[in-house]
Amino acid sequence: MDDAFARLPSPPYYAVIFSSRRNGHDDAGYGEAAQRMVELAASQPGYLGVESTRGADGFGITVSYWESEEAIAAWRQHAEHAATRAHGRVHWYEHYELRVAKVERAYGKPEMKSRSPE
Amino acid sequence: MDDAFARLPSPPYYAVIFSSRRNGHDDAGYGEAAQRMVELAASQPGYLGVESTRGADGFGITVSYWESEEAIAAWRQHAEHAATRAHGRVHWYEHYELRVAKVERAYGKPEMKSRSPE
């Protein structure tokens, strides 16, 4: 299946919805750090997946998925992640919003689902 | 503030996270319908806001925000919305996933928040 889509278990699970506007500075540094954070997140306990996109206007949405609120809290406290967030607040983002949500129901385009019962 | 960001009340509220891959067909028809759906959604009871973006690769994420699950259910049953979804499944999307979540906590970039207490 299309790698942009997260392969997730059945709900419930948790989502961190991060919407942001890039300030147009330091594309190379930002790109490298974003890639590193995706890889680091994927190695954390309770990580389930991520979906992310950004338009040509610099507005982007990243949704990461987690087994529990405890997993989200642990990732938030990860030292390298915290340092990268602090750097990003100053250097990369004009603005951002972050929302933590509990996913209760999920549906996919039926004929394309790779996780249908066999 | 930046119009791409939804101006939302304090949680709790609900999010519909729609991630999709466009199939590259019918950009004009898709664009017109997407704009119409944004306007129609905004006129529904319980609608709070929307954030949406799509990358050059055709992968996009739209998150709409609602006061309640009842508001989401009513929007899902709206006749024009249902007809547009049915058209989109066949003509516009290679794949999509939809997740309904309850937002429990929210944070913004502190120095940019327009809704800070005065």
Side-chain angles (χ1 to χ4, degrees):
Chain A
M1 198 173 88
D2 190 330
D3 277 343
F5 292 93
R7 291 161 183 75
L8 301 175
S10 295
Y13 48 79
Y14 287 82
V16 178
I17 306 166
F18 179 73
S19 54
S20 65
R21 173 79 72 187
R22 282 276 288 123
N23 60 10
H25 302 150
D26 188 24
D27 274 348
Y30 169 76
E32 189 176 326
Q35 180 60 31
R36 168 70 181 154
M37 287 303 106
V38 165
E39 291 168 7
L40 194 59
S43 72
Q44 301 306 302
Y47 170 89
L48 294 176
V50 68
E51 296 180 348
S52 186
T53 185
R54 188 175 301 280
D57 63 352
F59 183 76
I61 300 175
T62 296
V63 189
S64 61
Y65 292 98
W66 301 85
E67 281 178 4
S68 66
E69 297 205 78
E70 292 70 25
I72 293 171
W75 170 232
R76 186 173 174 80
Q77 288 156 23
H78 186 288
E80 184 179 341
H81 181 211
T84 300
R85 285 204 313 277
H87 186 85
R89 274 196 291 274
V90 176
H91 297 286
W92 296 325
Y93 296 116
E94 189 178 298
H95 186 64
Y96 64 78
E97 298 284 342
L98 186 146
R99 299 170 182 114
V100 180
K102 182 178 184 179
V103 177
E104 298 177 342
R105 300 193 303 282
Y107 318 87
K109 183 170 175 174
E111 60 270 42
M112 300 288 293
K113 281 183 90 165
S114 64
R115 61 176 191 278
S116 303
E118 303 302 326
Chain B
M1 198 173 90
D2 190 329
D3 277 344
F5 292 95
R7 290 160 182 75
L8 301 175
S10 296
Y13 48 79
Y14 287 81
V16 178
I17 306 166
F18 179 73
S19 54
S20 64
R21 172 80 70 187
R22 283 275 287 120
N23 60 9
H25 302 151
D26 188 23
D27 274 347
Y30 169 77
E32 189 176 327
Q35 179 60 31
R36 167 71 181 155
M37 287 302 107
V38 165
E39 292 167 8
L40 195 59
S43 71
Q44 302 306 302
Y47 170 88
L48 295 176
V50 68
E51 297 178 346
S52 186
T53 186
R54 188 175 301 280
D57 62 353
F59 183 76
I61 300 175
T62 295
V63 188
S64 61
Y65 293 98
W66 302 85
E67 281 178 5
S68 65
E69 297 204 79
E70 291 71 23
I72 293 170
W75 170 233
R76 185 172 175 79
Q77 288 157 23
H78 186 287
E80 184 179 341
H81 181 211
T84 301
R85 286 204 312 277
H87 187 86
R89 274 196 291 274
V90 176
H91 295 288
W92 295 327
Y93 296 117
E94 189 176 298
H95 186 64
Y96 64 78
E97 296 285 342
L98 187 146
R99 298 166 182 119
V100 179
K102 182 179 185 179
V103 176
E104 298 176 342
R105 298 192 304 282
Y107 319 86
K109 183 169 174 175
E111 62 268 43
M112 301 288 294
K113 280 181 90 166
S114 63
R115 62 175 190 277
S116 303
E118 304 299 326

